[in-house]
Amino acid sequence: MSMDMTTVGDTGLLDTLQHEVAVFARRAEQTRLGGVGQVRNSMDRAAYLLLNRLDNEGPMGVKALAASMGIDSSTVTRQVAPLVDTGLVKRTSHPEDGRAVVLQLSPRGAARLEEVRSSRRQLMAELTHDWAPEEREQFCTLLTRFNVALSTRMSVQGVAAAEQPPVS
């Protein structure tokens, strides 16, 4: 059963919400929320998400990586190629099937990812410096919930969800 959101709650609030999400998306893409200092804007979103996923889930094949990120294998192959070329990701043979390729974060990739994460943490700290710890936690909870709902909607509609949050 579909819900007409204009009849549920305050349309003014929903208008504000959709506008603020659009502004956030534009600003996030403009800045890539890349951090501060020399690291600012130094890693694109696709690279960050791929490296982060490999760091969190360990070495895996292209198909498994694509499935875990909600994108197709050809997209992963295209996005991972420059990461291999720059030494951030290593391609190795699968231990049980030498024909299969496994992708894993290289030591250089792990160091680079930590550098970017640290810079991004610093940016988040600066942007929320006057927030109470509870406000930061609530914002994280609500943003995660929003992203999960959006990802679920995209999955149901058959659209790849490239930024699904990692499974805890």
Side-chain angles (χ1 to χ4, degrees):
M1 181 173 159
S2 178
M3 237 193 248
D4 179 2
M5 291 306 292
T6 60
T7 62
V8 178
D10 180 11
T11 57
L13 182 61
L14 295 174
D15 285 344
T16 299
L17 178 60
Q18 67 81 22
H19 175 77
E20 291 302 324
V21 167
V23 170
F24 171 77
R26 182 182 64 220
R27 288 189 178 140
E29 190 57 35
Q30 285 172 339
T31 65
R32 292 193 173 120
L33 291 180
V36 295
Q38 290 181 315
V39 182
R40 186 174 182 273
N41 290 331
S42 62
M43 183 178 287
D44 70 32
R45 177 177 34 96
Y48 178 77
L49 292 170
L50 284 167
L51 295 178
N52 198 55
R53 186 62 56 124
L54 288 172
D55 186 48
N56 288 333
E57 296 183 21
M60 66 182 76
V62 170
K63 286 183 180 180
L65 183 57
S68 75
M69 295 184 70
I71 57 181
D72 64 45
S73 295
S74 64
T75 301
V76 168
T77 299
R78 187 178 65 253
Q79 291 176 347
V80 86
L83 301 176
V84 171
D85 292 344
T86 57
L88 301 178
V89 170
K90 296 189 306 187
R91 280 189 179 121
T92 59
S93 296
H94 192 283
E96 296 164 13
D97 179 0
R99 298 169 298 166
V101 173
V102 174
L103 302 170
Q104 70 181 77
L105 198 59
S106 70
R108 182 173 180 221
R112 183 75 180 102
L113 180 60
E114 183 49 39
E115 180 182 41
V116 171
R117 281 180 178 157
S118 177
S119 176
R120 289 179 177 199
R121 276 192 299 271
Q122 185 179 347
L123 176 62
M124 293 301 110
E126 287 178 14
L127 293 174
T128 63
H129 75 278
D130 59 345
W131 295 19
E134 301 80 26
E135 290 173 314
R136 285 180 177 171
E137 189 172 325
Q138 183 178 25
F139 183 70
C140 286
T141 298
L142 292 173
L143 189 56
T144 299
R145 185 174 167 191
F146 183 83
N147 281 330
V148 167
L150 186 57
S151 183
T152 300
R153 179 177 174 85
M154 292 171 71
S155 294
V156 167
Q157 293 178 342
V159 177
E163 286 107 20
Q164 291 181 352
V167 177
S168 304

